[in-house]
Amino acid sequence: MTRPLAVGVRWCFALLWLLLAGAAAAQADPRSIDHTRTGFALTGAHTAARCESCHAGGVFKGTPRDCASCHVSGARLARGNVLKPQNHVPTQEACDSCHNTRSFSGARFSHANVQPGSCSSCHNGVMASGKPGGHPATTASCDSCHRSTAGWGGARMDHSSFTAATNCASCHNGSTATGKHAAHIPAASTGCASCHGTTGWTPSRWNHTQVAVTGQCASCHSGGFAPADGRHATHVPYQALSGVAITNCDTCHKAGFAAWAPARVHASISVSAQCATCHTGSYAPAVGKPNTAIHAGATVCESCHKSTASWASARVDHGTFTAATNCASCHNGSAATGKPAAHIPVGAASCQSCHNVSGWVPTKWNHTQTAVTGQCATCHSGAYPPANGRHATHIPYQTLSGVAITNCDSCHKAGFAAWAPARFHASVSVSTQCASCHSGSYAPAVGKPNNATHAGVTVCESCHKSTASWGAVSFAHSAANAVGTGSCDNCHNGSAATGKPAAHIPVTSGPTKCDSCHRSQTSFAASVTMNHSVVTTTSCKTCHNGAYVSQGNTGALAKPANHIPEATQLLNGAAMDCGACHKSTTSWGSMTMDHNGSQGGGAGWCKGCHQSGTSYLGSMEKKSLTHERKTPPAIDCSESGCHRPLGSKGSTYRNWD
């Protein structure tokens, strides 16, 4: 019995201790308890809660720490606590995923795990805020447009499937969604998508070709419908041009609706007067008159400006101007074109002394107006165009020492009318130093040609003896190219100097030289001695046939017209060469007649040459056929029986005897 009694005593003491501790705890301030040591910190509304709200019946151990054990209807500790409402959004997440201990209101719901397209399962106006009454009519899921879970604002409507036929105004009516503003251009019933994109109102794609707007620009471009800009404040006052019909903007603005500029006023309408209505300087780009003396007091532009295309074609009416008019009052280089710095020095002479009122050029400058003889270089120095000076390739007359050339007109004798022809040699006496000008660098002073004859020649006047013509030349043959040196054809080849003519007698090629026959340096025809050793053949007839001539003479003489008819009267006559009878190449007179065995019978008749009455050259004896007998021989002298070869007198073909 002793042991149970001891146990009972111990339980009594324990119960007494708990009662005393509970009484002490009841009297203590719960806020003085460091609850964080229990692993559950008291925050927010929990700091003011009574302990028994969670520790029911004084039981501390096993007190739940999750929100739902206290804040869900039917839970063990739910009595007197704020409970999750029946219309709470459906979620399996813990309460503190969205709520905090300060207050259930202002919960921050995490949409991270919400399935796309399921927004309306909560946002139905009961569980969570839903689509307002003025929302655009749509069955699309909320997240099709609302991309943020932080708020409804910033929604981006997906217009990608919309077309020009879509009735945008069903939403964009100014209440459901942004509508057409009061200053919108009068686009009638044209659908919004015809001009505006689905990503924003601007920039719009207005295309003037979508509707017939020709002649209707001012319907929109009146200044009342931005951004369709209207006529600006400094627009030219075309309304003031009486008689000019301008019905709409595109009368002048021709850029095809792409831009206002360039506006072609004068190309579009005919305005021949009233220029100053627009050209006042106040209406750009209608340029006004400049602030110059020439324009001072001028009010009618078209008095001088005759073209609507350009001011530059202005023609001032100088009709009343005279030589006494002070042209320089305007033509001073600022008000109007003045005398250039390179103007010829005319002193104080009036412009009209030379220039006419219709233009500066051509001028009426007359060299006879002033005494300019011997003063050409005063103006013609190259510094005063158009008074041109000596050109770069002018002959260097300054280098001709001893020749006095004081001015241009020393050589240029055209009476101030022209530089050419300049008569240099006719004006000054120059007998030497030809090469100073005749170098080929100073046209028209011809230089020496590029050939062997002139190679190394530096003194023109060594051969050329006339200043009137190069043709009057006497070539000075040096000892190196004198007759007998065989060097003639180095130059006389038809290129450098006169060569062998086409009708020259045929000489051998190769070593044959001109001075083999020509023995003079002054003329080919002078002192010519024919050297038969250089001819190409021994047949005399090859050259002596009248076909070949030489420089200045008859060349290879042919037989005369009254030569004996050897070609017909002698056997083999046509085939015989001159050398058959003429045995010398120095003279025709040294000859021996070769009768070639002729003895009558047609071509061999003696009487053909020796009968009285023939007129052939030669010393042959001529007699009649009856000089010994009254009866002539039957045919020819050779058959008379007197003369050899058939007779007994004389020698055959040599003498009659």
Side-chain angles (χ1 to χ4, degrees):
M1 295 296 292
T2 303
R3 185 173 182 84
L5 178 62
V7 173
V9 173
R10 287 197 295 271
W11 274 104
C12 289
F13 277 108
L15 179 61
L16 179 61
W17 180 85
L18 288 173
L19 291 174
L20 292 174
Q27 294 177 358
D29 186 353
R31 288 174 293 183
S32 63
I33 300 173
D34 185 6
H35 209 276
T36 57
R37 296 177 63 184
T38 67
F40 187 84
L42 299 178
T43 60
H46 287 159
T47 59
R50 294 180 62 81
C51 299
E52 59 269 21
S53 298
C54 297
H55 301 289
V59 178
F60 292 90
K61 187 176 182 180
T63 301
R65 300 185 181 190
D66 62 292
C67 304
S69 296
C70 297
H71 297 285
V72 175
S73 178
R76 179 167 63 89
L77 300 176
R79 60 184 179 280
N81 294 331
V82 178
L83 302 179
K84 183 170 71 174
Q86 295 296 319
N87 61 346
H88 192 282
V89 295
T91 178
Q92 299 301 319
E93 298 293 329
C95 301
D96 55 0
S97 296
C98 301
H99 301 279
N100 55 50
T101 60
R102 289 192 298 275
S103 172
F104 278 101
S105 60
R108 291 289 182 263
F109 182 71
S110 174
H111 294 78
N113 296 319
V114 176
Q115 293 297 317
S118 63
C119 303
S120 60
S121 62
C122 294
H123 291 285
N124 50 21
V126 178
M127 295 181 182
S129 57
K131 189 164 56 178
H135 193 281
T138 179
T139 58
S141 174
C142 304
D143 53 359
S144 297
C145 300
H146 300 277
R147 306 297 183 185
S148 172
T149 59
W152 296 113
R156 290 291 182 267
M157 177 66 182
D158 183 7
H159 297 77
S160 60
S161 61
F162 290 12
T163 66
T166 300
N167 183 11
C168 304
S170 63
C171 291
H172 290 284
N173 51 22
S175 59
T176 302
T178 306
K180 186 167 61 178
H181 56 77
H184 194 283
I185 61 173
S189 58
T190 304
C192 304
S194 299
C195 301
H196 300 281
T198 58
T199 58
W201 294 115
T202 57
S204 65
R205 299 189 309 273
W206 171 255
N207 187 338
H208 290 78
T209 61
Q210 290 173 327
V211 292
V213 293
T214 303
Q216 303 177 50
C217 305
S219 300
C220 297
H221 293 284
S222 62
F225 305 105
D229 53 314
R231 186 176 68 245
H232 55 79
T234 59
H235 194 283
V236 295
Y238 59 87
Q239 305 94 324
L241 301 177
S242 58
V244 177
I246 301 180
T247 58
N248 210 274
C249 307
D250 53 4
T251 301
C252 298
H253 297 278
K254 303 292 186 180
F257 312 120
W260 292 114
R264 295 173 291 183
V265 178
H266 292 290
S268 305
I269 59 177
S270 177
V271 181
S272 58
Q274 309 177 65
C275 302
T277 303
C278 298
H279 291 283
T280 63
S282 299
Y283 306 107
V287 181
K289 68 180 181 181
N291 185 21
T292 61
I294 197 171
H295 290 86
T299 57
V300 183
C301 308
E302 55 270 20
S303 296
C304 299
H305 300 278
K306 304 300 183 183
S307 170
T308 58
S310 171
W311 293 113
S313 58
R315 291 290 182 269
V316 178
D317 185 6
H318 296 78
T320 60
F321 291 10
T322 66
T325 301
N326 184 9
C327 304
S329 62
C330 289
H331 291 285
N332 52 21
S334 59
T337 306
K339 185 168 62 178
H343 196 283
I344 61 174
V346 294
S350 171
C351 303
Q352 287 207 62
S353 299
C354 301
H355 302 281
N356 57 44
V357 296
S358 60
W360 295 112
V361 290
T363 66
K364 303 191 302 288
W365 171 256
N366 188 337
H367 290 78
T368 61
Q369 289 173 328
T370 56
V372 293
T373 302
Q375 302 177 49
C376 305
T378 303
C379 296
H380 293 284
S381 62
Y384 307 107
N388 53 312
R390 186 175 69 245
H391 55 78
T393 59
H394 193 284
I395 60 172
Y397 60 86
Q398 305 95 325
T399 63
L400 302 178
S401 60
V403 177
I405 301 179
T406 58
N407 210 275
C408 306
D409 53 4
S410 297
C411 299
H412 297 278
K413 303 293 186 180
F416 312 118
W419 292 114
R423 294 170 291 181
F424 181 76
H425 290 290
S427 305
V428 296
S429 177
V430 180
S431 58
T432 59
Q433 307 179 64
C434 303
S436 298
C437 298
H438 292 284
S439 63
S441 300
Y442 308 106
V446 180
K448 68 179 182 180
N450 184 21
N451 54 40
T453 304
H454 291 83
V457 176
T458 58
V459 183
C460 307
E461 53 270 21
S462 297
C463 300
H464 299 279
K465 304 300 182 182
S466 171
T467 58
S469 171
W470 292 111
V473 60
S474 297
F475 184 72
H477 293 81
S478 66
N481 52 33
V483 172
T485 61
S487 61
C488 304
D489 55 343
N490 290 341
C491 295
H492 292 285
N493 52 22
S495 173
T498 304
K500 184 170 62 179
H504 193 282
I505 61 173
V507 296
T508 56
S509 59
T512 302
K513 300 295 183 179
C514 305
D515 53 2
S516 297
C517 299
H518 301 279
R519 311 300 295 172
S520 172
Q521 293 178 331
T522 59
S523 170
F524 281 112
S527 302
V528 62
T529 301
M530 177 58 196
N531 183 358
H532 286 81
S533 65
V534 299
V535 296
T536 58
T537 177
T538 57
S539 174
C540 303
K541 287 183 178 181
T542 302
C543 298
H544 293 285
N545 55 18
Y548 299 101
V549 297
S550 184
Q551 301 279 343
N553 60 27
T554 56
L557 296 176
K559 66 181 181 182
N562 57 349
H563 191 281
I564 63 172
E566 86 290 347
T568 58
Q569 293 301 127
L570 299 176
L571 294 179
N572 298 324
M576 282 200 307
D577 188 32
C578 307
C581 299
H582 301 279
K583 302 300 184 181
S584 172
T585 58
T586 60
S587 171
W588 292 111
S590 301
M591 60 181 179
T592 300
M593 177 59 192
D594 182 0
H595 287 80
N596 196 29
S598 298
Q599 55 179 13
W605 285 342
C606 301
K607 64 182 182 181
C609 295
H610 294 283
Q611 187 174 4
S612 298
T614 58
S615 58
Y616 301 115
L617 289 175
S619 59
M620 74 286 288
E621 187 176 356
K622 301 173 184 177
K623 292 180 180 292
S624 68
L625 293 178
T626 60
H627 68 282
E628 292 291 338
R629 303 174 182 174
K630 293 182 179 181
T631 301
I635 298 176
D636 187 53
C637 308
S638 60
E639 297 179 348
S640 66
C642 298
H643 305 291
R644 294 180 187 277
L646 300 180
S648 58
K649 295 180 179 181
S651 57
T652 304
Y653 313 125
R654 292 290 181 269
N655 56 70
W656 297 103
D657 288 344

